[in-house]
């Protein structure tokens, strides 16, 4: 492998001169600089970018720790972060924690050993303990999580407002007996979505009985099982709010197996607006999270933090919107 010393010998100059020509750190006589460039071309010398970055105290890498990249929502966010990082000259290292705090800690150790410049982190329910260790070691941005005990940049979505939009939509279609398929209780997003949904019902003078709520796991199979339980516990419901699209799609399958049609027999609203939401049948009415903005703002905040480590922390809250498709209908009769 050609080294900078080989280039220096070929050009008849010092290693320092080659370095100055390559990095534009000091004036070099044009004739000498041209000789160095010719030597670089002749020897096909490619500098070790990692070694150069380490000398500058940076590796141009960002760690990205997500709960589950197989979830289309997180896959979309990861892609946006990767694209935004690439444009800024950074490589993104993706790790999936499966919501497991022990796995998170192991991945964090690996990422820190790789000397990442910063981290974008969407952690487990035990993320406060994990993040306390992390925040002292590397600049980081919390993604869709809040830790009040740590002064850190964060990009959030107003899940309460999203749940409220779902509730107001179903109430506006005349539904009064409505069920909910919630996500994990220890997540930060699902309780907020249910809270906003309940608020919309309360404004219309409606209650959400405990029997009309079944918690699940944000997965397709979990949504199918939750829909079956919901029909057994609350057979009178005419509409369902599922706290993410994968569970909503599982619910549609459960209803179809019972011979029930969406939206003729049951209206259904999801949350996330994953790509599959428009291809499932019927196309899913859902609450759309601003995936592109979530990813790009997370990268922007991290890069700004790297540029000014002492700046006050920032908290950005993004607003979801209702996307109406074909899985909801006005209550008949």
């Amino acid at each position: 492998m050609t080294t900078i010393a080989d280039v220096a010998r070929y050009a008849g100059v010092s290693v320092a001169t080659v370095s100055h020509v390559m990095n534009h750190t000091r004036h070099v006589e044009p004739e000498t600089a041209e000789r160095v460039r010719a030597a670089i071309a002749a020897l096909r010398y490619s500098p070790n970018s990692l070694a150069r970055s380490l000398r500058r105290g940076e590796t141009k890498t960002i760690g990205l720790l997500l709960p589950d990249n197989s979830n289309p929502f997180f896959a979309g966010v990861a892609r946006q972060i990767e694209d935004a990082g690439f444009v800024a000259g950074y490589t993104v290292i993706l790790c999936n924690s499966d919501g497991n705090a022990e796995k998170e800690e192991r991945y964090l150790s690996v990422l820190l050993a790789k000397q990442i410049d910063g981290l974008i982190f969407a952690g487990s329910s035990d993320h406060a303990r994990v993040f306390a260790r992390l925040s002292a070691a590397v600049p980081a941005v919390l993604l869709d999580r809040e830790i009040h005990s740590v002064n850190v940049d964060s990009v959030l979505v107003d899940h309460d407002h999203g749940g409220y939009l779902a509730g107001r939509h179903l109430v506006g279609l005349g539904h009064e007996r409505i069920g909910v398929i919630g996500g994990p209780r220890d997540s930060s997003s699902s309780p907020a979505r249910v809270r906003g949904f309940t608020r919309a019902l309360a404004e219309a003078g409606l209650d959400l009985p405990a029997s009309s709520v079944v918690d699940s796991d944000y997965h397709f199979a979990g949504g199918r099982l939750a829909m079956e339980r919901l029909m057994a516990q609350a057979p009178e419901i005419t509409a369902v709010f599922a706290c993410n699209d994968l569970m909503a799609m599982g619910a549609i399958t459960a209803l179809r197996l019972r011979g029930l049609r969406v939206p003729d027999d049951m209206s259904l609203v999801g949350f996330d607006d994953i790509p599959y939401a428009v291809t499932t049948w019927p196309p899913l009415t859902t609450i759309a999270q601003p995936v592109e903005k979530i990813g790009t703002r997370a990268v922007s905040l991290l890069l700004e933090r790297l540029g000014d480590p002492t700046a006050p922390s920032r908290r950005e809250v993004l607003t979801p919107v209702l996307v109406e498709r074909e899985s909801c209908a006005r209550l008949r009769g």
Side-chain angles (χ1 to χ4, degrees):
M1 179 183 293
T2 302
T3 68
I4 191 170
D6 296 326
V7 174
R9 279 192 296 270
Y10 191 99
V13 299
S14 68
V15 169
T17 298
V18 176
S19 178
H20 288 312
V21 171
M22 293 175 55
N23 297 306
H24 308 285
T25 51
R26 196 179 72 186
H27 173 73
V28 178
E29 290 297 326
E31 181 182 340
T32 303
E34 183 56 37
R35 200 161 69 246
V36 169
R37 284 191 285 269
I40 290 172
L43 297 176
R44 296 182 180 180
Y45 173 62
S46 177
N48 187 326
S49 59
L50 176 59
R52 291 171 66 192
S53 293
L54 288 173
R55 286 195 296 272
R56 295 171 183 166
E58 61 180 18
T59 60
K60 288 294 183 180
T61 56
I62 294 172
L64 174 59
L65 186 53
L66 298 177
D68 182 9
N69 193 49
S70 68
N71 182 314
F73 167 72
F74 284 116
V77 170
R79 180 54 189 264
Q80 294 300 326
I81 290 172
E82 181 185 6
D83 289 350
F86 182 81
V87 169
Y90 285 79
T91 299
V92 176
I93 303 174
L94 172 64
C95 300
N96 284 292
S97 71
D98 296 318
N100 183 295
E102 180 181 353
K103 196 172 181 181
E104 284 174 359
E105 292 202 71
R106 292 183 62 182
Y107 273 135
L108 286 175
S109 296
V110 171
L111 291 171
L112 293 175
K114 291 184 178 294
Q115 301 185 55
I116 56 172
D117 293 331
L119 180 76
I120 298 172
F121 179 78
S124 69
S125 59
D126 197 24
H127 57 264
R129 178 177 61 84
V130 175
F131 197 81
R133 171 198 169 201
L134 165 71
S135 60
V138 65
V141 172
L142 276 175
L143 194 65
D144 207 26
R145 303 289 189 273
E146 279 196 281
I147 302 177
H148 298 291
S149 59
V150 179
N151 190 29
V152 65
D153 299 310
S154 57
V155 179
L156 310 167
V157 173
D158 190 344
H159 296 291
D160 182 284
H161 180 67
Y164 177 80
L165 292 177
R168 192 173 65 177
H169 181 63
L170 290 174
V171 168
L173 292 173
H175 296 280
E176 297 182 353
R177 298 184 298 276
I178 306 172
V180 170
I181 298 176
R185 289 187 180 182
D186 59 1
S187 71
S188 59
S189 56
S190 180
R193 295 171 188 178
V194 175
R195 187 167 57 247
F197 185 81
T198 304
R199 179 162 52 88
L201 267 58
E203 288 181 2
L206 303 174
D207 294 325
L208 183 64
S211 60
S212 296
V213 180
V214 174
D215 291 321
S216 190
D217 58 4
Y218 278 157
H219 293 290
F220 176 92
R224 177 176 168 179
L225 291 173
M227 188 71 241
E228 292 172 354
R229 283 185 56 196
L230 199 53
M231 291 299 295
Q233 294 177 192
E236 72 282 358
I237 60 173
T238 61
V240 172
F241 169 48
C243 282
N244 83 342
D245 289 345
L246 286 178
M247 295 192 301
M249 293 165 63
I252 290 175
T253 297
L255 291 166
R256 188 174 292 131
L257 290 173
R258 281 176 168 257
L260 299 174
R261 297 167 299 171
V262 175
D264 296 358
D265 301 310
M266 186 77 67
S267 288
L268 190 63
V269 177
F271 202 112
D272 285 341
D273 197 26
I274 62 175
Y276 301 135
V278 73
T279 60
T280 192
W281 187 258
L284 187 64
T285 292
T286 186
I287 306 300
Q289 298 205 62
V291 171
E292 180 176 356
K293 199 166 185 181
I294 292 171
T296 57
R297 288 308 302 151
V299 172
S300 294
L301 286 181
L302 184 58
L303 297 183
E304 290 168 16
R305 175 61 52 195
L306 291 172
D308 187 0
T310 62
S313 63
R314 297 171 60 182
R315 176 181 182 271
E316 294 200 7
V317 181
L318 306 178
T319 304
V321 297
L322 173 70
V323 177
E324 295 186 49
R325 294 195 178 101
E326 300 175 34
S327 63
C328 293
R330 184 166 294 280
L331 183 66
R332 294 179 296 181

